[in-house]
Amino acid sequence: MTDLVDERLAAAARRWQVEQPPPPGVPLDRLDERPPRRPWRRAALAAAAAVVVVGGGAAAVAGLGSDGASPAGPSGPPPVTVTVHGRAFGAVPWRDLEAGHPHVRHHEHGHVVTPYDHVSATGRIVGRVRPGDVLVFTAVLESATTLRLDPCPDYDVGFGPDAFYQWRLNCAQVPFRDAQGHPVLPAGRPVRFEMRIRVPDAHGRQKVLWTLDGPWSMPGFYGMVHVR
Amino acid sequence: MTERGALAEFARWVQPHLTTLSRYAGRHVPAADRDDVVQEALIRAWQRWSTYDPSRGTPAAWLLGILADRCRRQRTRRPAAVVELVDHGAQPEPTYDVDLERAIAALPRRQRAAVELHYFVGLDMATTAEVMGCAPGTVKATLHQARARLRDLMGDDDD
């Protein structure tokens, strides 16, 4: 007797499998990494490293190479003793995605507009870091209306007066999709994106500025970090 | 063997199982965490690789055991607000069988595990049994019970 539930399960599983993104590679450069510590140990280490961790958009310092990708920054950084497993939990993970420079600006009634003109970007960056550290924080994007992230926008990060980086948002891993399967910012629901940046060779108080690329309004935020 | 050689051998050893691991993680943690959890499991597997004993199980079952532990840890360490963000916000895919997924979620734990491993992760009966720590015949029986329960939960609309 044909089991229709069996067929339905097999069909659903096949569809689901096809829709899955390809598996990640073996993180050869992370294999020597220590596993994530228990929360209380992570907190103790963070305190010892004098890293200020705040709620909402949080900033923390990660050990070098704690991600498969390599955040941009100066080559040959000094060894880092901080072993905090820098992970912005609950955020769309950071990926080293080259800026796509999408054409998002167009004219409408004599004005230059972009799909992202009404997106708000918030976050908080604060802490003590050292050159070569990887600064981890979250950028929170929110839109009053459901907004398709197509094309996927770029963002800029300035660190102090001299360092400037540009990447593309990790839209592919945004956990919200419209009916066509495109990633979206859902109406009124903040979406957190993990950000990573290698601290350049600078000293003293430095301004870190995050902006969404494209809109004239340049939605973004900034914070001050102390580089020792 | 050099460290680099051992790393390369480990990479070759796990390569055939990456899809299986990703599927398992895809069923047990939010999509945004899938790759991170798989990679954490691979790091853990590398650290324990010397303890792997082929006589005690297949590589797939061994790796899935480590991954299952990482998935459990991931679920418990995520703040509640984040769970809400991911679980409630994700829109169903166009091909998503909502009724079936709801019914699967309502299955008893062992039945749900058998369904997930056999159908969605794509394991054969023997490997499913190994992962679940039982005999293949038990898996068959569990799957039979699960299908019967699903039929009930979905209101007999398939009969």
Side-chain angles (χ1 to χ4, degrees), chain B residues 37-65:
Chain B
V37 170
V38 170
Q39 293 205 336
E40 279 182 16
L42 291 174
I43 291 168
R44 199 78 173 151
W46 162 252
Q47 291 165 343
R48 294 182 182 176
W49 197 29
S50 60
T51 68
Y52 169 67
D53 180 357
S55 68
R56 296 180 60 187
T58 61
W62 187 72
L63 289 165
L64 282 168

Side-chain angles (χ1 to χ4, degrees), chain B residues 17-30:
Chain B
H17 310 293
L18 289 180
T19 299
T20 297
L21 296 175
S22 292
R23 286 176 181 170
Y24 183 94
R27 297 296 295 180
H28 291 86
V29 296

Side-chain angles (χ1 to χ4, degrees), chain B residues 27-153:
Chain B
R27 297 296 295 180
H28 291 86
V29 296
D33 294 335
R34 188 199 72 153
D35 289 1
D36 288 337
V37 170
V38 170
Q39 293 205 336
E40 279 182 16
L42 291 174
I43 291 168
R44 199 78 173 151
W46 162 252
Q47 291 165 343
R48 294 182 182 176
W49 197 29
S50 60
T51 68
Y52 169 67
D53 180 357
S55 68
R56 296 180 60 187
T58 61
W62 187 72
L63 289 165
L64 282 168
I66 293 173
L67 179 63
D69 176 61
R70 303 319 301 182
C71 289
R72 273 192 297 273
R73 287 166 186 260
Q74 179 72 7
R75 284 197 299 272
T76 56
R77 76 188 176 193
R78 290 173 67 88
V82 173
V83 173
E84 181 185 357
L85 173 82
V86 174
D87 289 349
H88 294 186
Q91 298 298 309
E93 296 288 340
T95 54
Y96 192 76
D97 192 335
V98 178
D99 292 338
L100 182 62
E101 290 286 354
R102 279 185 186 148
I104 291 171
L107 287 175
R109 190 176 61 83
R110 294 283 292 178
Q111 293 179 14
R112 189 169 70 242
V115 166
E116 299 277 5
L117 290 169
H118 180 62
Y119 287 98
F120 288 88
V121 180
L123 300 183
D124 58 27
M125 214 58 86
T127 312
T128 302
E130 201 182 341
V131 173
M132 292 182 66
C134 59
T138 308
V139 173
K140 279 186 187 174
T142 306
L143 283 171
H144 179 79
Q145 293 159 0
R147 286 192 294 266
R149 181 80 181 123
L150 287 172
R151 201 175 292 117
D152 290 342
L153 288 166

Side-chain angles (χ1 to χ4, degrees), chain A residues 16-155:
Chain A
W16 180 82
Q17 289 168 357
V18 167
E19 289 164 3
Q20 292 303 295
V26 180
L28 290 175
D29 54 345
R30 289 180 62 197
L31 290 180
D32 288 331
E33 180 180 298
R34 299 181 66 171
R37 294 173 181 277
R38 292 176 184 172
W40 66 269
R41 293 203 60 182
R42 187 160 49 231
L45 277 170
V51 174
V52 180
V53 179
V54 296
V61 179
L64 285 177
S66 62
D67 191 288
S70 302
S75 59
V80 173
T81 53
V82 180
T83 54
V84 177
H85 186 75
R87 211 11 103 213
F89 291 114
V92 177
W94 184 84
R95 290 285 179 263
D96 185 7
L97 300 172
E98 189 177 346
H101 307 293
H103 295 287
V104 294
R105 293 177 181 173
H106 62 278
H107 287 270
E108 198 172 286
H109 307 301
H111 297 282
V112 176
V113 297
T114 81
Y116 304 112
D117 285 345
H118 302 292
V119 171
S120 75
T122 55
R124 195 170 175 193
I125 308 168
V126 60
R128 292 175 183 272
V129 294
R130 293 190 304 175
D133 282 347
V134 178
L135 182 67
V136 182
F137 59 97
T138 55
V140 185
L141 298 187
E142 187 169 359
S143 172
T145 57
T146 296
L147 180 65
R148 182 186 286 192
L149 292 168
D150 184 22
C152 187
D154 295 340
Y155 63 92

